[in-house]
Amino acid sequence: MQRKLTLGLASGLLATLLAVSSSVSAQKSATDDIAKYREMIADGNPSELYEAAGEDLWKKPAGPKNATLEKCDLGLGAGVVKGAAAQLPRYFKDTNKVQDLESRLMTCMQVLQGRDPQEMIDAPFQKGPKKDMEAIVAYVVTASKGDKIKVSTNHPKEKEMYELGKRAFFFQGGPMDFSCASCHAENGKRIRLQDLPNLTEQKGAAMGWGYWPAYRVSSGQFWTMQQRLNDCYRQQRFPFPIYGSDVTIALSMYMAKTANGGTVETPGLKR
């Protein structure tokens, strides 16, 4: 009797191990297939169309002042685009604020072109002013592709924004009691076929931050980091954050600083 029980338990354990092994193998196969698919279509990343449109918008006179954005200072000097995105968010003396790429571009649009930032803030994603913003973002981030992520927290306001971002990342709330960390603070997590990078570690943060903004194949759209964060809050069942608000910039600062030393691979290509 005892022998039969032992054999039965052993058989059950073996079946469980085989099932787990099969599941892990299937997941690895699916992950590998997705990676191959991304590699296959990477040369034709549709973000290139957004980049080209963004370069035109960067050089095109617009707004009440009928001016271009070619004198916009993204942190490396007026008009310098190459490498700028790799060092954002950062502190800007003229605004006395830490700004990410999109909030900084809004400042340039306001100062150089006379455009009202509220119009950008109120516009829906993928439409109107935000559609133009998405193209300009694609143009700017592409100019940093291959550069090392190098975000500073030397200024007191940069340190403050980093700490705010860290607190926001781990803050739990809403009807599901979720936080950013619910999905992005452990290794090996996934949703369906999508691997979830651990954004609390350098490697995971580099994989996350370094590949956004990105073109999303599933929606056929180019998503900026502000839209990506907006969607994260939606999935947490939180109210949507205000476009360009401190909390979104703080979360970007936390991710970017953690990702330091990684490589900018934007525009990325996502499912």
Side-chain angles (χ1 to χ4, degrees):
M1 180 67 176
Q2 182 65 34
R3 186 167 181 273
K4 287 183 179 180
L5 284 173
T6 302
L7 287 173
L9 287 171
S11 297
L13 179 59
L14 178 60
T16 300
L17 290 172
L18 287 173
V20 170
S21 176
S22 176
S23 175
V24 170
S25 296
Q27 288 181 357
K28 185 178 186 303
S29 176
T31 300
D32 290 345
D33 287 345
I34 290 173
K36 289 176 183 176
Y37 170 72
R38 286 177 177 159
E39 190 176 321
M40 180 177 67
I41 64 175
D43 287 341
N45 190 333
S47 295
E48 295 174 4
L49 300 176
Y50 287 82
E51 176 199 352
E55 183 175 9
D56 288 342
L57 289 167
W58 180 264
K59 299 175 180 179
K60 180 180 178 180
K65 295 184 179 181
N66 195 37
T68 73
L69 292 172
E70 292 173 294
K71 293 183 180 180
C72 178
D73 184 356
L74 297 173
L76 300 181
V80 179
V81 177
K82 171 63 180 169
Q87 298 184 41
L88 288 169
R90 67 187 300 159
Y91 172 77
F92 288 89
K93 187 175 181 180
D94 59 345
T95 58
N96 195 30
K97 292 180 180 179
V98 174
Q99 295 181 291
D100 66 351
L101 176 56
E102 289 166 81
S103 60
R104 186 59 185 174
L105 285 170
M106 282 197 290
T107 294
C108 287
M109 290 173 181
Q110 180 181 23
V111 173
L112 297 174
Q113 299 178 323
R115 299 169 67 177
D116 183 1
Q118 198 62 44
E119 293 180 3
M120 185 70 70
I121 293 169
D122 292 341
F125 287 107
Q126 306 296 328
K127 295 182 180 179
K130 276 201 179 77
K131 189 174 181 65
D132 288 348
M133 174 66 83
E134 289 146 11
I136 296 170
V137 166
Y139 166 63
V140 173
V141 299
T142 302
S144 291
K145 193 175 184 73
D147 291 351
K148 292 296 182 182
I149 301 168
K150 187 180 178 182
V151 172
S152 168
T153 52
N154 292 331
H155 192 278
K157 284 187 178 289
E158 292 171 340
K159 291 180 181 178
E160 181 182 357
M161 196 61 89
Y162 171 83
E163 292 300 330
L164 174 61
K166 187 175 182 179
R167 291 198 299 272
F169 184 86
F170 288 98
F171 177 78
Q172 289 182 225
M176 307 296 287
D177 200 30
F178 279 171
S179 69
C180 300
S182 298
C183 292
H184 292 291
E186 295 179 39
N187 294 318
K189 278 196 170 184
R190 61 190 298 131
I191 292 180
R192 297 181 295 276
L193 298 178
Q194 184 68 38
D195 292 317
L196 300 173
N198 181 352
L199 299 177
T200 67
E201 297 180 351
Q202 191 277 335
K203 181 179 179 181
M207 285 295 296
W209 177 260
Y211 283 79
W212 285 95
Y215 182 83
R216 298 204 70 162
V217 177
S218 57
S219 64
Q221 297 172 336
F222 179 84
W223 281 29
T224 66
M225 180 54 77
Q226 283 284 331
Q227 184 172 2
R228 184 70 191 91
L229 291 174
N230 184 277
D231 194 57
C232 285
Y233 275 102
R234 177 190 65 80
Q235 294 181 69
Q236 293 178 64
R237 311 302 191 268
F238 272 35
F240 292 151
I242 296 171
Y243 182 80
S245 60
D246 283 349
V247 70
T248 59
I249 297 169
L251 282 168
S252 289
M253 173 62 88
Y254 172 67
M255 289 188 287
K257 175 62 177 177
T258 307
N260 267 354
T263 304
V264 176
E265 300 290 353
T266 54
L269 193 64
K270 299 292 182 177
R271 65 169 179 82

